[in-house]
Each structure stands twice: as structure tokens, then as C-alpha cells.
Amino acid sequence: MNILYLTNPDYYLQKEGENIKISLYGKRIANYPIHNFKQIVCFNYMGMSPDLMRLCMEENISILFFTPNGKLCGRVMGKSHGNILTRKRQYKLSESEESINFVKNIVYAKLYNSKKVLIRGKLDHKDKVDIKKLEETIGGISLLMKDVLEADNKDSLRGIEGSGAKAYFSVLDELIIKQREDFYMIERSKRPPRDRFNALLSFMYSIYTWEITQSLESVGIDSYAGFFHTDRPGRASMALDIIEEFRPALIDKFCLSLINLNRINKNDFEVKENRATILNEKGRKKVLGFWREKKNEEIFHYYTEEKIKVGLLAHIQAQLLNSYIRGDLVAYPPYMLKG
């Protein structure tokens, strides 16, 4: 999916024939054929013209409006193309314990991927990390993975997932090898992020959650009816279910690489008086640029047994979930790191 990101808060978008015209204080900045894109993601305050919104809806191009720190404000999209039979089956599963195997699989995959990230970090940076601390956490996560297999209800699985996330985030700071004075994690903080690393994670979690949302809806799945996360107005629960397997395996690894390869620095962030930390316009542009590069990389998908581009991962998992909901697969195969 080609995505147009608007990171400057003062950009204004409007329709010009079949093109998207981007202006800054009335001066043309760029012009793109609208057919180049499947999604427009805005971090701007100025917005876009109603004519362009209408054209996007006609062309089935979704528009997402975010605050500068990555919180979704709203979205504009055209007609829904969902399969009602698939969705009725999805709603039935969401209301029952029948979907517990799906929940087991995504929680197990999240723990497995968290463990793999820590193991890889230990091997790659053995002379720079606290080996004992990492090994203790890796062992604890292994025990939690066994608990997943024995769990018989979703509440138990939510508790296991929470314990695993707490253990994992308690040592993730060890894998920040460079720029230690500027990037660190004392604990996971979300609303608002209290440090640069948390701000980076929250930003990318938001971005990828909405990429997953688009992929789910493109195959006819209701992104708001999840099996693991409880229903709440305005919450894309199914997208949040699916991102669990990707948090450590994709997003956390990506964010760590940005820091350890010195691709971003403290000057790409803004710290408010209340310690709330966000990426500034320059930082967002950098991160999204590297994210576009990341999505062109190839990785091995254990279930399809082939190399695919990172940018296709969310869509492939949406297709697999769709097959599971329809009954074509006996279980949902989550994304798991190789080896």
C-alpha cells in the first residue's frame, strides 16, 4: 500500500484535477496523481479541501488525521466493502469463548517474539548488556509461554500477557546501546509518553495499528470487533489484537535500530513542561522516511514459507485471519520471528 504522509503541521491539501496539490502558506510544494496512493496520513492542522475528501472517498482512499504525537483524531473513508457473512461470524466469535485459541495464539506469539528480541539483543551486545538480567527475564517469559498453553479463559490470558509485557519492558532498556543519556526506559508510559523512547514506541504503535486497521477492512473484517481486547466505542479492538504479535517482532526492533544506528537523536523530540514527550515535525519526517524504507525490506514468513516485503505483513495476516473466521483454517497463524 502506497501511503502519503504529511508531517508539516502547516501543509494544506486540495484537489487539482485528478491530483493532490500540497501547499504551504499558499505556495505549491508538491503535486501527486491521486491514483498513486491508497491512504493519506495527516499530522497537519490545516486539513484539506472538501473536494479532495470527496475524490478520495470515490477512489476508496482513506484519510487519517493524527495529532503530532500520533494520536488518531478521526478518519474519512468511502463505502464499506465488508462481507456481511464474514462479519456475522466474527461478531459471534467475539461474544464467545470459542475464539480462545485465537487469543492463545496471539499471546503466545507476542511472548515468543519478545523472548527472541531479548535473546538476539543478548547475543549481539553481550559485552554491553546485563546478561544475567536478560537471562532471568527470558526464563520468566518461557514459563509464561507454558502458562498460555494451560489457560482456559481469556481473563487468564490477559493476565499472562500483562505479566509478560511488564517483564519484557523492564529490561528492554538494556538493548539501547547508543545515545544512553538521551534514550532510556524506566517503565512503559503511554498517556503521555514520559521519555523519548516511549514517545517513539507510542508513535509507531499508533501508525502500525492504523495500517493493520486498513488491511483488516480491505478483506472485509470489522476492525472494531476484537477477540482479545474488550469492546469500547472508538477502539479498533481487532487491530489491537493483531498488533500484539508485531509489537516486539517489528515495531520495537525498528525503534531500537533508529536509536542504535544514530538515525534519530534528541533534537528530533520536544519535551513539554509536564514531561510529555513527542516527536517534532523533523523527527516525524525522519521516522516515517525510515519506516518507508523498512517496509521495502524482505523477511521470511514461516507460515507462507516465502520471503515477503515487510509492507505486506499486515495484509497477509489480515487474509489469514479472514480465512480463520470463515472456517477455512482451523487456527489463526500469528506472525512469529524466524528461528
Side-chain angles (χ1 to χ4, degrees), residues 260-281:
N260 291 334
L261 295 175
N262 295 308
R263 290 178 168 175
I264 59 171
N265 56 58
K266 65 179 182 180
N267 297 322
D268 297 316
F269 294 81
E270 178 182 347
V271 182
K272 306 286 188 180
E273 290 183 1
N274 64 351
R275 285 184 55 219
T277 307
I278 62 171
L279 281 158
N280 58 28
E281 192 272 332

mmCIF file of all heavy atoms in Angstrom, residues 260-281:
data_model
loop_
_atom_site.group_PDB
_atom_site.id
_atom_site.type_symbol
_atom_site.label_atom_id
_atom_site.label_comp_id
_atom_site.label_asym_id
_atom_site.label_seq_id
_atom_site.Cartn_x
_atom_site.Cartn_y
_atom_site.Cartn_z
ATOM 1 N N ASN A 260 20.039 2.994 17.922
ATOM 2 C CA ASN A 260 21.375 2.394 17.948
ATOM 3 C C ASN A 260 22.185 2.657 16.687
ATOM 4 O O ASN A 260 23.420 2.560 16.709
ATOM 5 C CB ASN A 260 21.257 0.888 18.200
ATOM 6 C CG ASN A 260 20.790 0.570 19.612
ATOM 7 O OD1 ASN A 260 20.992 1.362 20.532
ATOM 8 N ND2 ASN A 260 20.168 -0.571 19.797
ATOM 9 N N LEU A 261 21.505 2.987 15.599
ATOM 10 C CA LEU A 261 22.217 3.347 14.364
ATOM 11 C C LEU A 261 22.341 4.856 14.205
ATOM 12 O O LEU A 261 22.749 5.348 13.145
ATOM 13 C CB LEU A 261 21.495 2.749 13.147
ATOM 14 C CG LEU A 261 21.483 1.211 13.064
ATOM 15 C CD1 LEU A 261 20.637 0.747 11.882
ATOM 16 C CD2 LEU A 261 22.897 0.658 12.969
ATOM 17 N N ASN A 262 21.965 5.591 15.270
ATOM 18 C CA ASN A 262 22.063 7.058 15.277
ATOM 19 C C ASN A 262 21.273 7.714 14.155
ATOM 20 O O ASN A 262 21.663 8.768 13.623
ATOM 21 C CB ASN A 262 23.535 7.492 15.193
ATOM 22 C CG ASN A 262 24.334 7.083 16.410
ATOM 23 O OD1 ASN A 262 23.950 7.360 17.543
ATOM 24 N ND2 ASN A 262 25.445 6.383 16.182
ATOM 25 N N ARG A 263 20.144 7.089 13.788
ATOM 26 C CA ARG A 263 19.310 7.660 12.737
ATOM 27 C C ARG A 263 18.430 8.788 13.265
ATOM 28 O O ARG A 263 17.971 9.628 12.498
ATOM 29 C CB ARG A 263 18.461 6.561 12.100
ATOM 30 C CG ARG A 263 19.291 5.600 11.270
ATOM 31 C CD ARG A 263 18.469 4.483 10.687
ATOM 32 N NE ARG A 263 19.220 3.753 9.672
ATOM 33 C CZ ARG A 263 18.774 2.663 9.059
ATOM 34 N NH1 ARG A 263 17.576 2.163 9.359
ATOM 35 N NH2 ARG A 263 19.516 2.066 8.151
ATOM 36 N N ILE A 264 18.169 8.774 14.555
ATOM 37 C CA ILE A 264 17.457 9.882 15.194
ATOM 38 C C ILE A 264 18.235 10.278 16.440
ATOM 39 O O ILE A 264 19.069 9.515 16.943
ATOM 40 C CB ILE A 264 16.005 9.509 15.585
ATOM 41 C CG1 ILE A 264 15.984 8.316 16.542
ATOM 42 C CG2 ILE A 264 15.162 9.211 14.353
ATOM 43 C CD1 ILE A 264 14.625 8.056 17.128
ATOM 44 N N ASN A 265 17.957 11.463 16.948
ATOM 45 C CA ASN A 265 18.636 11.937 18.156
ATOM 46 C C ASN A 265 17.691 12.805 18.975
ATOM 47 O O ASN A 265 16.524 12.998 18.600
ATOM 48 C CB ASN A 265 19.924 12.686 17.800
ATOM 49 C CG ASN A 265 19.669 13.848 16.855
ATOM 50 O OD1 ASN A 265 18.896 14.755 17.165
ATOM 51 N ND2 ASN A 265 20.309 13.819 15.684
ATOM 52 N N LYS A 266 18.183 13.348 20.061
ATOM 53 C CA LYS A 266 17.339 14.106 20.983
ATOM 54 C C LYS A 266 16.716 15.338 20.330
ATOM 55 O O LYS A 266 15.656 15.810 20.766
ATOM 56 C CB LYS A 266 18.127 14.517 22.221
ATOM 57 C CG LYS A 266 19.267 15.488 21.936
ATOM 58 C CD LYS A 266 19.995 15.859 23.225
ATOM 59 C CE LYS A 266 21.111 16.874 22.961
ATOM 60 N NZ LYS A 266 21.819 17.226 24.219
ATOM 61 N N ASN A 267 17.345 15.858 19.283
ATOM 62 C CA ASN A 267 16.830 17.054 18.621
ATOM 63 C C ASN A 267 15.579 16.790 17.795
ATOM 64 O O ASN A 267 14.960 17.728 17.291
ATOM 65 C CB ASN A 267 17.914 17.671 17.728
ATOM 66 C CG ASN A 267 19.115 18.146 18.515
ATOM 67 O OD1 ASN A 267 18.965 18.673 19.623
ATOM 68 N ND2 ASN A 267 20.312 17.952 17.977
ATOM 69 N N ASP A 268 15.217 15.529 17.644
ATOM 70 C CA ASP A 268 14.013 15.161 16.892
ATOM 71 C C ASP A 268 12.778 15.073 17.791
ATOM 72 O O ASP A 268 11.709 14.658 17.341
ATOM 73 C CB ASP A 268 14.226 13.805 16.198
ATOM 74 C CG ASP A 268 15.346 13.869 15.173
ATOM 75 O OD1 ASP A 268 15.376 14.847 14.413
ATOM 76 O OD2 ASP A 268 16.183 12.941 15.143
ATOM 77 N N PHE A 269 12.923 15.487 19.057
ATOM 78 C CA PHE A 269 11.822 15.383 20.023
ATOM 79 C C PHE A 269 11.575 16.730 20.703
ATOM 80 O O PHE A 269 12.450 17.592 20.747
ATOM 81 C CB PHE A 269 12.155 14.335 21.093
ATOM 82 C CG PHE A 269 12.254 12.938 20.566
ATOM 83 C CD1 PHE A 269 13.409 12.492 19.934
ATOM 84 C CD2 PHE A 269 11.189 12.058 20.682
ATOM 85 C CE1 PHE A 269 13.506 11.204 19.438
ATOM 86 C CE2 PHE A 269 11.272 10.765 20.189
ATOM 87 C CZ PHE A 269 12.434 10.341 19.563
ATOM 88 N N GLU A 270 10.393 16.837 21.232
ATOM 89 C CA GLU A 270 10.006 18.017 22.009
ATOM 90 C C GLU A 270 9.500 17.544 23.364
ATOM 91 O O GLU A 270 8.661 16.645 23.442
ATOM 92 C CB GLU A 270 8.908 18.787 21.284
ATOM 93 C CG GLU A 270 8.399 20.011 22.025
ATOM 94 C CD GLU A 270 7.274 20.703 21.290
ATOM 95 O OE1 GLU A 270 7.053 20.388 20.098
ATOM 96 O OE2 GLU A 270 6.598 21.548 21.916
ATOM 97 N N VAL A 271 10.022 18.130 24.432
ATOM 98 C CA VAL A 271 9.616 17.762 25.790
ATOM 99 C C VAL A 271 8.805 18.910 26.385
ATOM 100 O O VAL A 271 9.296 20.043 26.478
ATOM 101 C CB VAL A 271 10.836 17.450 26.684
ATOM 102 C CG1 VAL A 271 10.376 17.035 28.079
ATOM 103 C CG2 VAL A 271 11.696 16.356 26.057
ATOM 104 N N LYS A 272 7.560 18.623 26.763
ATOM 105 C CA LYS A 272 6.673 19.638 27.315
ATOM 106 C C LYS A 272 7.007 19.898 28.793
ATOM 107 O O LYS A 272 7.786 19.172 29.418
ATOM 108 C CB LYS A 272 5.218 19.177 27.194
ATOM 109 C CG LYS A 272 4.795 18.790 25.783
ATOM 110 C CD LYS A 272 4.618 19.999 24.899
ATOM 111 C CE LYS A 272 4.000 19.611 23.560
ATOM 112 N NZ LYS A 272 3.820 20.769 22.662
ATOM 113 N N GLU A 273 6.374 20.928 29.360
ATOM 114 C CA GLU A 273 6.612 21.269 30.763
ATOM 115 C C GLU A 273 6.195 20.149 31.706
ATOM 116 O O GLU A 273 6.782 19.968 32.768
ATOM 117 C CB GLU A 273 5.864 22.558 31.123
ATOM 118 C CG GLU A 273 6.442 23.806 30.466
ATOM 119 C CD GLU A 273 5.724 25.072 30.903
ATOM 120 O OE1 GLU A 273 4.795 24.957 31.732
ATOM 121 O OE2 GLU A 273 6.077 26.151 30.414
ATOM 122 N N ASN A 274 5.172 19.375 31.324
ATOM 123 C CA ASN A 274 4.703 18.280 32.182
ATOM 124 C C ASN A 274 5.448 16.973 31.900
ATOM 125 O O ASN A 274 4.998 15.902 32.278
ATOM 126 C CB ASN A 274 3.200 18.057 32.013
ATOM 127 C CG ASN A 274 2.829 17.616 30.605
ATOM 128 O OD1 ASN A 274 3.673 17.642 29.700
ATOM 129 N ND2 ASN A 274 1.578 17.220 30.416
ATOM 130 N N ARG A 275 6.587 17.063 31.175
ATOM 131 C CA ARG A 275 7.443 15.934 30.787
ATOM 132 C C ARG A 275 6.865 15.113 29.649
ATOM 133 O O ARG A 275 7.487 14.146 29.212
ATOM 134 C CB ARG A 275 7.727 15.014 31.984
ATOM 135 C CG ARG A 275 8.734 15.563 32.979
ATOM 136 C CD ARG A 275 9.038 14.554 34.064
ATOM 137 N NE ARG A 275 9.474 13.279 33.514
ATOM 138 C CZ ARG A 275 9.114 12.086 34.013
ATOM 139 N NH1 ARG A 275 8.283 12.026 35.027
ATOM 140 N NH2 ARG A 275 9.568 10.964 33.481
ATOM 141 N N ALA A 276 5.684 15.457 29.171
ATOM 142 C CA ALA A 276 5.144 14.758 27.995
ATOM 143 C C ALA A 276 6.111 14.964 26.834
ATOM 144 O O ALA A 276 6.540 16.084 26.559
ATOM 145 C CB ALA A 276 3.763 15.295 27.658
ATOM 146 N N THR A 277 6.443 13.877 26.145
ATOM 147 C CA THR A 277 7.454 13.913 25.096
ATOM 148 C C THR A 277 6.846 13.471 23.774
ATOM 149 O O THR A 277 6.144 12.463 23.711
ATOM 150 C CB THR A 277 8.635 12.991 25.455
ATOM 151 O OG1 THR A 277 9.115 13.318 26.765
ATOM 152 C CG2 THR A 277 9.766 13.130 24.454
ATOM 153 N N ILE A 278 7.122 14.242 22.711
ATOM 154 C CA ILE A 278 6.605 13.891 21.391
ATOM 155 C C ILE A 278 7.691 14.114 20.339
ATOM 156 O O ILE A 278 8.646 14.855 20.562
ATOM 157 C CB ILE A 278 5.362 14.722 21.006
ATOM 158 C CG1 ILE A 278 5.721 16.218 20.926
ATOM 159 C CG2 ILE A 278 4.218 14.488 21.972
ATOM 160 C CD1 ILE A 278 4.621 17.083 20.350
ATOM 161 N N LEU A 279 7.536 13.434 19.220
ATOM 162 C CA LEU A 279 8.389 13.716 18.071
ATOM 163 C C LEU A 279 8.000 15.067 17.493
ATOM 164 O O LEU A 279 6.818 15.381 17.380
ATOM 165 C CB LEU A 279 8.205 12.641 17.005
ATOM 166 C CG LEU A 279 8.925 11.312 17.215
ATOM 167 C CD1 LEU A 279 8.230 10.220 16.413
ATOM 168 C CD2 LEU A 279 10.390 11.425 16.803
ATOM 169 N N ASN A 280 8.992 15.876 17.129
ATOM 170 C CA ASN A 280 8.672 17.122 16.450
ATOM 171 C C ASN A 280 8.509 16.866 14.952
ATOM 172 O O ASN A 280 8.621 15.728 14.485
ATOM 173 C CB ASN A 280 9.739 18.186 16.735
ATOM 174 C CG ASN A 280 11.144 17.746 16.324
ATOM 175 O OD1 ASN A 280 11.311 16.948 15.406
ATOM 176 N ND2 ASN A 280 12.148 18.269 17.031
ATOM 177 N N GLU A 281 8.237 17.932 14.183
ATOM 178 C CA GLU A 281 7.967 17.752 12.760
ATOM 179 C C GLU A 281 9.159 17.120 12.039
ATOM 180 O O GLU A 281 9.015 16.217 11.210
ATOM 181 C CB GLU A 281 7.632 19.111 12.136
ATOM 182 C CG GLU A 281 7.044 19.016 10.730
ATOM 183 C CD GLU A 281 8.099 19.010 9.637
ATOM 184 O OE1 GLU A 281 9.181 19.587 9.872
ATOM 185 O OE2 GLU A 281 7.846 18.416 8.574
#
